[in-house]
Structure formats: C-alpha cells, structure tokens
C-alpha cells in the first residue's frame, strides 16, 4: 500500500508542535538546563523515540521553539495586536503594509510597547527568551545551528535598516550613532529588563509582582534618548 505523504506530513507537524509546546512550558518554568528531553517527551505524551525522531538534541528543540514563538509573535503584531496607548493609531485593518508608513521613532515605540505587552500578557515567553540566551551562551553554541531562529529575526533587522536610512532625512530619531549601536542598545536594553522582571530577578528587597510602570518609565527614557541630537 502506498504511503500517504500528505497525511505523514500532517502527523509530523502535529508531533513537532506537540513537542515544542511541551518543551516551551517546561523550559519557561524550570530553565533549559534542568529539563531533559525525556521529561519533554513525557509531558508531550509521546515516546522518547518519537522525540529523537524529530529533535535529536536539546539544542535543535530549543532553537525550533525560539524560532516558532518569535515568528508567531511577528505575525500576530501584524494581525491582531492593538496598541491603543500609542501616539500612532495601529489597527489590523490598516493592512500588512502599514509598517511602511512608520517613522523610525514610531517603529521603536511600537517595539517598546510590544515588550511591555509581552511582560503583561505573555511573561512565559520572556522567561523562555532569557533561559534560551543563557543556555546558548553556556553551551557555547555556534551561529550555524541557530539559523532557524536568526532567519525569523531577519525581517526585524531589515526594517531597522530601512528606518535608520529614513531617519537621516526625517530626523525622527538620532543618527549621530551607528545603526547597530542605536537599535541594538534599544532592543537589548528593553528586552533584558523585561526578561528579568518576568523572572522575578530584580533586587533582594523588592517584593513587587508587577513592574509594568517601571517598564513604561524605561520606554520613555529610551524614546527620549532615541530622539537625541540629529545630524
């Protein structure tokens, strides 16, 4: 009997998503180093042989999860995330090309608001992101195995480049710093602080459970810094 290729592909996709979902939850809650692939297989209710069929190493599974969650987030920003507290009016009905009308300043504001919303609504994603970076660093993973994750982030870098070039004309943000220095500083600073708040890693005598206001303060400081002195 001939194999049903389409059915096999659907089953493979379902199994992969099942394993990624289980891995994401365990890695977010417990850290990546503390979770074995056997535990992920058990949580996904599949045999360990099925796990190794699709993800032969923990690195492969972790990179696949990271690529999926950030890829899904980028799609959702275009489709169903609203940012009513922003100066600009972002609505899904404006269409997939709406970002084309952004100034560099507005795009940075969108990014900062997105991180705040992640902290409030999807803190497990920020916890995974922090655990992911720690794992990759401690494991000494080279760039090549991270391709699936890096490819997902490529459109973000491309948009940053376009808007930085645009800012040289509209002066919506400073251009006295290099493109890499400006955008990397903003992206890393906001994400790193949000990740630490999501992990509960702040300082010993801080017993707050909600640091949304602190993130809003950081957002305003970064926006002011981005305006800076234009060329």
């Amino acid at each position: 009997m001939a194999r049903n290729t389409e059915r096999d592909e659907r089953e493979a996709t379902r199994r992969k998503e099942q394993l990624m979902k289980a891995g994401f939850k365990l890695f977010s809650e417990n850290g990546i180093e503390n979770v074995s692939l056997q535990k992920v297989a058990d949580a996904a209710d599949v045999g360990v042989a099925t796990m190794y069929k699709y993800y032969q190493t923990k690195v492969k599974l972790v990179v696949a999860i990271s690529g999926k969650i950030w890829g899904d987030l980028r799609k959702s920003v275009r489709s169903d995330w609203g940012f009513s507290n922003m100066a600009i009016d972002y609505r899904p009905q404006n269409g997939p090309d709406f970002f084309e009308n952004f100034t560099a300043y507005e795009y940075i504001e969108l990014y900062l608001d997105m991180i705040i919303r992640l902290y409030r609504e999807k803190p497990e994603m920020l916890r995974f992101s922090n655990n992911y970076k720690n794992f990759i660093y401690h494991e000494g993973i080279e760039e090549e195995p991270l391709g699936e994750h890096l490819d997902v982030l490529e459109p973000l870098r491309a948009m940053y480049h376009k808007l930085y070039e645009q800012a040289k004309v509209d002066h919506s943000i400073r251009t006295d710093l290099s493109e890499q220095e400006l955008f990397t500083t903003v992206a890393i600073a906001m994400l790193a602080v949000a990740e630490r708040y999501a992990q509960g890693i702040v300082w010993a005598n801080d017993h707050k459970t909600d640091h949304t206001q602190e993130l809003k303060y950081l957002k305003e400081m970064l926006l002011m810094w981005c305006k800076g002195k234009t060329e």
Side-chain angles (χ1 to χ4, degrees):
M1 181 180 295
R3 294 180 62 86
N4 188 321
T5 303
E6 186 176 334
R7 183 190 61 198
D8 291 346
E9 289 177 354
R10 286 199 304 269
E11 177 64 13
T13 298
R14 186 182 72 83
R15 289 294 192 186
K16 287 179 180 179
E17 291 180 350
Q18 195 174 349
L19 289 163
M20 283 191 288
K21 182 178 180 180
F24 174 71
K25 185 175 189 299
L26 289 172
F27 295 150
S28 298
E29 294 175 352
N30 304 295
I32 297 172
E33 292 87 349
N34 301 322
V35 178
S36 67
L37 290 182
Q38 178 68 67
K39 288 183 178 179
V40 175
D42 292 343
D45 196 25
V46 302
V48 72
T50 299
M51 163 64 77
Y52 285 109
K53 176 181 178 181
Y54 298 114
Y55 302 107
Q56 296 78 30
T57 66
K58 188 185 290 187
V59 171
K60 288 183 179 294
L61 175 60
V62 168
V63 170
I65 294 171
S66 185
K68 177 173 175 51
I69 63 175
W70 288 109
D72 287 350
L73 176 66
R74 184 166 58 86
K75 293 174 184 176
S76 70
V77 168
R78 285 181 175 271
S79 62
D80 59 8
W81 275 42
F83 292 87
S84 58
N85 61 325
M86 297 176 62
I88 56 177
D89 181 23
Y90 172 73
R91 293 293 186 274
Q93 59 264 32
N94 287 314
D97 297 327
F98 181 59
F99 292 141
E100 298 297 318
N101 300 319
F102 276 34
T103 65
Y105 179 90
E106 290 170 336
Y107 189 76
I108 290 172
E109 185 179 13
L110 173 67
Y111 169 81
L112 298 174
D113 276 328
M114 181 187 73
I115 297 299
I116 293 174
R117 183 164 178 179
L118 276 180
Y119 171 75
R120 297 192 64 177
E121 299 182 8
K122 298 178 182 290
E124 67 279 2
M125 186 170 170
L126 292 172
R127 289 193 291 270
F128 175 85
S129 178
N130 187 62
N131 293 337
Y132 170 87
K133 289 195 287 287
N134 288 336
F135 175 72
I136 294 300
Y137 174 78
H138 289 302
E139 291 292 311
I141 307 301
E142 298 295 332
E143 184 172 300
E144 185 176 350
L146 304 181
E148 184 174 350
H149 176 53
L150 296 176
D151 288 346
V152 170
L153 299 180
E154 191 58 39
L156 181 65
R157 285 194 293 269
M159 180 64 76
Y160 271 0
H161 172 71
K162 177 180 179 180
L163 293 174
Y164 183 79
E165 291 300 312
Q166 177 182 322
K168 292 178 180 178
V169 177
D170 67 26
H171 304 298
S172 63
I173 61 170
R174 63 192 299 175
T175 53
D176 57 312
L177 299 174
S178 71
E179 174 185 343
Q180 181 70 19
E181 186 176 4
L182 181 69
F183 289 112
T184 300
T185 298
V186 172
I188 290 178
M190 190 68 178
L191 181 60
V193 172
E195 287 172 349
R196 290 182 70 83
Y197 283 147
Q199 291 276 30
I201 306 173
V202 190
W203 53 85
N205 63 346
D206 182 7
H207 304 295
K208 290 181 63 177
T209 57
D210 185 355
H211 293 275
T212 302
Q213 189 57 55
E214 286 88 337
L215 288 174
K216 289 181 178 179
Y217 290 149
L218 178 59
K219 167 194 165 183
E220 295 304 318
M221 287 188 286
L222 287 171
L223 288 174
M224 290 178 63
W225 180 78
C226 284
K227 284 186 175 180
K229 180 181 68 174
T230 56
E231 293 179 336

